Amino acid sequence: YYTVNMKVWSVLFLLPLVYSDWTCEDCARASNGLAIFSVNEEAIQAMVDILVAEVCPVAEDPTLCVEQLPSFWAEIAKIVFPEHWKHICDDLEECQAPEVKAAVPNCPEC
């Protein structure tokens, strides 16, 4: 189910790239959607399943890894992914905030 769901989300977010220019608004919507999707229980469980299968067998203490990695990852993912997805639009020129330069006031302004 997770794989199919992820494919559907991927297609929905990639269609604007194929059929139109990627606007700041499109990117912001995708960013928000990916942030929400990446921290839902199913997504986190899918990540945990992969991490436990790939990381824990080679860990120094595999049993401890299997016991603690799921809860650790669930908490970390809720912090990391929303922050990560906030920045996917940073390279789009139209999404960049105008640069604000500090200025020293002159005497009449003081």
Side-chain angles (χ1 to χ4, degrees):
Y1 175 77
Y2 173 78
T3 305
V4 172
N5 197 10
M6 187 61 185
K7 287 178 184 177
V8 169
W9 277 100
S10 298
V11 168
L12 289 175
F13 288 123
L14 293 175
L15 278 176
L17 283 174
V18 175
Y19 294 106
S20 66
D21 290 332
W22 187 245
T23 67
C24 192
E25 184 179 317
D26 294 333
C27 191
R29 271 187 301 196
S31 171
N32 186 49
L34 288 167
I36 291 167
F37 177 77
S38 64
V39 296
N40 77 41
E41 287 184 35
E42 280 182 27
I44 290 175
Q45 187 58 53
M47 290 180 244
V48 165
D49 292 345
I50 292 167
L51 289 169
V52 167
E54 299 296 324
V55 174
C56 290
V58 296
E60 188 174 311
D61 185 344
T63 304
L64 183 65
C65 179
V66 169
E67 290 171 3
Q68 294 186 356
L69 183 62
S71 61
F72 171 76
W73 186 255
E75 293 305 313
I76 292 295
K78 291 174 189 172
I79 297 166
V80 171
F81 287 111
E83 184 62 29
H84 168 75
W85 294 120
K86 276 196 242 176
H87 299 284
I88 65 169
C89 304
D90 288 355
D91 63 338
L92 291 177
E93 200 170 300
E94 73 176 76
C95 296
Q96 295 176 1
E99 187 176 330
V100 178
K101 295 184 180 181
V104 177
N106 59 34
C107 287
E109 290 176 341
C110 289

